[in-house]
Amino acid sequence: AQSVAQPEDQVNVAEGNPLTVKCTYSVSGNPYLFWYVQYPNRGLQFLLKYITGDNLVKGSYGFEAEFNKSQTSFHLKKPSALVSDSALYFCAVRDYSSASKIIFGSGTRLSIRP
Amino acid sequence: DAMVIQNPRYQVTQFGKPVTLSCSQTLNHNVMYWYQQKSSQAPKLLFHYYDKDFNNEADTPDNFQSRRPNTSFCFLDIRSPGLGDAAMYLCATSRDRREGEQYFGPGTRLTVT
């Protein structure tokens, strides 16, 4: 069965510093991986996805993610954090048992201090 | 702008009083989803439609029903809300089954009194 794990409930970073939000995956085939962000009292927003191709995927708001097959990881990164990046971040993987569905990780709350 | 719209944004209902949440989309996507999200947890899929084909999750309570009268609209009916049904309800769409990314509406926060 497919799954993703987000090992950190909370990540705290100072504004201007690089940030990383971790995600590891477990799939039986080639993974389709996603990152979503959720601001307070809002729906989720799609940030980026990896299907195939370059291991470094660029997305919205200056975020990027690095796919690492050997480490089964798909960490979200940004070179310089903004206070406005503070939000809840979800990693997700497409469910191969039902292509319409995606499986979310438990979420990581990112807090950027001024 | 093409988008997913949910109405109302906030809904208060009484214990046991039926309630309907609505979702509309201007993206012309084939797939529509309903999720329940509690307390910053991961969204939990309740059901989804691929066109008119309804797919219910095995652990979705019978208390939850859905209708999709046309491509643009989808409704979530909660027949007898309990206190445990208080949550954020998220509607999402996807272009088709192979397109993994989903586009979410802003959500409806349901309070049960």
Side-chain angles (χ1 to χ4, degrees):
Chain A
Q2 287 72 232
S3 66
V4 288
Q6 295 181 243
E8 301 157 317
D9 291 336
Q10 174 108 17
V11 171
N12 300 307
V13 178
E15 187 175 27
N17 284 0
L19 69 87
T20 298
V21 184
K22 296 179 180 177
C23 173
T24 59
Y25 65 89
S26 175
V27 301
S28 54
N30 293 322
Y32 281 31
L33 295 160
F34 309 89
W35 275 102
Y36 287 83
V37 61
Q38 186 176 29
Y39 298 100
N41 292 313
R42 305 292 297 179
L44 280 69
Q45 294 181 31
F46 170 74
L47 276 178
L48 51 80
K49 69 178 178 182
Y50 173 83
I51 296 177
T52 187
D54 289 341
N55 289 341
L56 187 64
V57 179
K58 294 189 182 297
S60 305
Y61 311 122
F63 283 94
E64 57 190 27
E66 186 172 9
F67 173 71
N68 188 316
K69 188 172 183 178
S70 63
Q71 297 185 2
T72 63
S73 66
F74 189 56
H75 300 333
L76 182 70
K77 300 182 179 184
K78 188 172 182 180
S80 179
L82 300 172
V83 172
S84 57
D85 293 330
S86 299
L88 187 58
Y89 290 80
F90 290 100
C91 181
V93 64
R94 194 177 81 171
D95 185 348
Y96 276 69
S97 66
S98 172
S100 301
K101 295 160 54 174
I102 58 176
I103 299 167
F104 288 96
S106 56
T108 298
R109 185 164 299 282
L110 178 64
S111 177
I112 310 299
R113 60 183 183 275
Chain B
D1 288 338
M3 57 177 57
V4 181
I5 302 162
Q6 290 188 245
N7 286 306
R9 292 293 313 280
Y10 300 90
Q11 176 75 57
V12 180
T13 190
Q14 293 177 337
F15 182 95
K17 185 175 181 180
V19 65
T20 295
L21 310 181
S22 71
C23 176
S24 64
Q25 54 128 341
T26 60
L27 297 162
N28 203 33
H29 283 175
N30 287 321
V31 193
M32 294 188 77
Y33 307 81
W34 279 106
Y35 289 89
Q36 180 192 66
Q37 187 182 29
K38 294 184 176 183
S39 303
S40 299
Q41 297 174 17
K44 178 182 180 299
L45 183 64
L46 296 173
F47 21 62
H48 74 279
Y49 279 92
Y50 179 73
D51 197 11
K52 294 182 179 181
D53 181 25
F54 177 71
N55 298 271
N56 196 35
E57 293 301 296
D59 58 354
T60 298
D62 291 341
N63 197 28
F64 291 85
Q65 304 286 321
S66 185
R67 297 170 282 135
R68 189 179 185 186
N70 54 53
T71 299
S72 300
F73 285 86
C74 196
F75 300 96
L76 170 62
D77 301 308
I78 309 176
R79 294 192 293 187
S80 182
L83 297 178
D85 296 327
M88 175 75 91
Y89 290 89
L90 299 168
C91 175
T93 71
S94 181
R95 190 193 315 273
D96 60 41
R97 279 183 163 152
R98 289 172 295 177
E99 288 276 336
E101 63 264 38
Q102 297 179 13
Y103 297 88
F104 285 78
T108 295
R109 182 165 296 282
L110 179 68
T111 300
V112 182
T113 61

